[in-house]
């Protein structure tokens, strides 16, 4: 009996030590100490032994059981530690992973250019004015000397808005309408710039969009001359494109100015030589002229006393040139891969 008890003790301890998980540990315990085990059988038969023998064998049995219990507990806590380490490892932070940076928003290229333009003109003393995007025929055409047979007035070129009771509403085709609204709302002198969206019936392609942006300028005061127009535009163009730029004026016709002109700037890439940006060496930037006396009169201004100049430029065109953007539609697609490239200044 003593030999069997010791052998069972050693067998049990080694079974426990080899157990890989809780389940096999408990199975080993049943094998060694369960009701049908040699161990239990011996303990059950102790009663039949004589007292001295019983005490002696009983002591050995208790010691063996205690040794087994200790071995069981040791193995079990070792297993718990392994599980805990595994759980911790699964839960651990990987400090070598790169951080996720919060991306700053960026300004739309049109916003950047518009703010820059407004900044240049407000620093010259101009105020910002606004007007509605839906205009009536009088502000968009008649008051600007655009006669009834002018092609801009056909359905082919303008986008009319159908509002019952208001037959002549359209999406404004140029920011020049803001000139009229400003003069109607205040007496001279006027020094304003009006940035905004304009709309024309165009099929979109690389250089045309049915929605685009203009910046209108208007100065009306006593004694304003063509030299003021030229000086103002020259200062603005240099502030925008660099002090080395040269400005050139050529004759052009716009119904609301007389005389009218087209203003070009020497190309900022090739400085007038001719390159892929400009073609001819010059970039046509804007239309301008001296406000037609009839336009002043249309707004109730005394054209004998007051004179003025006006100009209008395409903001989209400046943005395309400045950032070398090949297609105007990119400004309106809302593609973040494109837009996120612009940083922008507030
Ligand atoms: N409104 C013109 C256009 O859309 C641009 C323009 C030309 C505006 C001459 C002006 C101007 O104020 O004097 O093409």
């Amino acid at each position: 009996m003593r030999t069997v008890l010791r052998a069972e003790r050693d067998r049990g301890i080694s079974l426990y030590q080899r157990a890989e998980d809780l389940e096999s540990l408990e199975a080993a315990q049943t094998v060694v100490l369960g009701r049908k085990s040699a161990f239990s059988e011996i303990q059950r038969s102790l009663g039949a032994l004589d007292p001295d023998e019983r005490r002696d064998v009983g002591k050995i049995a208790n010691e063996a059981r205690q040794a087994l219990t200790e071995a069981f507990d040791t193995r079990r806590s070792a297993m718990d530690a392994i599980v805990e380490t595994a759980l911790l490892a699964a839960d651990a932070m990987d400090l070598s992973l790169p951080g996720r940076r919060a991306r700053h928003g960026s300004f739309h290229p049109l916003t950047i250019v518009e703010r820059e333009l407004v900044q240049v003109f407000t620093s010259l003393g101009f105020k910002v004015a606004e007007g509605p995007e839906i205009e009536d025929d009088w502000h968009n055409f008649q008051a600007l000397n655009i006669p009834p047979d002018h092609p801009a007035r056909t359905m082919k070129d303008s986008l009319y808005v159908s509002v019952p009771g208001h037959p002549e509403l359209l999406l404004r085709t140029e920011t020049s309408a803001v000139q009229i609204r400003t003069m109607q709302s205040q007496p001279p002198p006027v020094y304003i710039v009006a940035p905004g969206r304009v709309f024309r019936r165009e099929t979109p392609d690389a250089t045309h969009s049915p929605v685009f942006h203009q910046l209108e300028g208007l100065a009306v005061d006593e004694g304003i001359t063509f030299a003021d127009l030229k000086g103002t535009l020259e200062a603005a163009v240099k502030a925008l494109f660099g002090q080395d730029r040269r400005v050139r004026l050529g004759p052009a016709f716009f119904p609301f100015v007389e005389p009218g002109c087209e203003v070009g700037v020497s190309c900022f890439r090739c400085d007038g030589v001719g390159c892929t940006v400009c073609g001819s060496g010059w970039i046509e930037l804007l239309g301008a002229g001296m406000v037609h006396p009839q336009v002043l009169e249309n707004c109730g201004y005394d054209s004998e006393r007051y004179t003025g100049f006006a100009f209008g430029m395409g903001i989209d065109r400046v943005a395309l040139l400045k950032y070398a953007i090949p297609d105007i539609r990119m400004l309106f697609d809302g593609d973040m891969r494109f837009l996120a490239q612009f940083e922008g200044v507030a």
Side-chain angles (χ1 to χ4, degrees), residues 173-174 176 179 200 214 216-217 254 256-257 261 287-289 310-312:
T173 57
E174 51 191 358
S176 305
Q179 290 186 30
R200 288 184 199 171
Q214 289 185 331
E216 190 80 14
F254 302 97
F256 37 89
V257 285
C261 62
F311 60 88

Side-chain angles (χ1 to χ4, degrees), residues 83-94:
V83 170
E84 200 165 313
T85 314
L87 283 176
L88 277 176
D91 212 27
M93 279 186 285
D94 181 352

Side-chain angles (χ1 to χ4, degrees), residues 144 146 173-177 179 198 200 212 214-218 229 253-261 286-291 309-314:
L144 288 164
I146 299 174
T173 57
E174 51 191 358
T175 45
S176 305
Q179 290 186 30
V198 298
R200 288 184 199 171
F212 56 103
Q214 289 185 331
L215 181 99
E216 190 80 14
L218 175 69
L229 168 62
F253 174 76
F254 302 97
F256 37 89
V257 285
E258 181 56 37
C261 62
L286 50 93
M290 298 305 290
V291 182
F309 66 76
F311 60 88
M313 71 173 85

Side-chain angles (χ1 to χ4, degrees), residues 35 49 71 74 88 150 207 214 232 242 244 253 259-260 317-318 329:
R35 275 197 309 117
L49 300 176
T74 307
L88 277 176
H150 194 280
T207 53
Q214 289 185 331
T232 304
D244 299 338
F253 174 76
R317 186 166 152 70
V318 175
R329 289 170 294 193

Side-chain angles (χ1 to χ4, degrees), residues 162-169:
S162 154
V163 179
H166 300 274
E168 308 225 289
L169 292 180

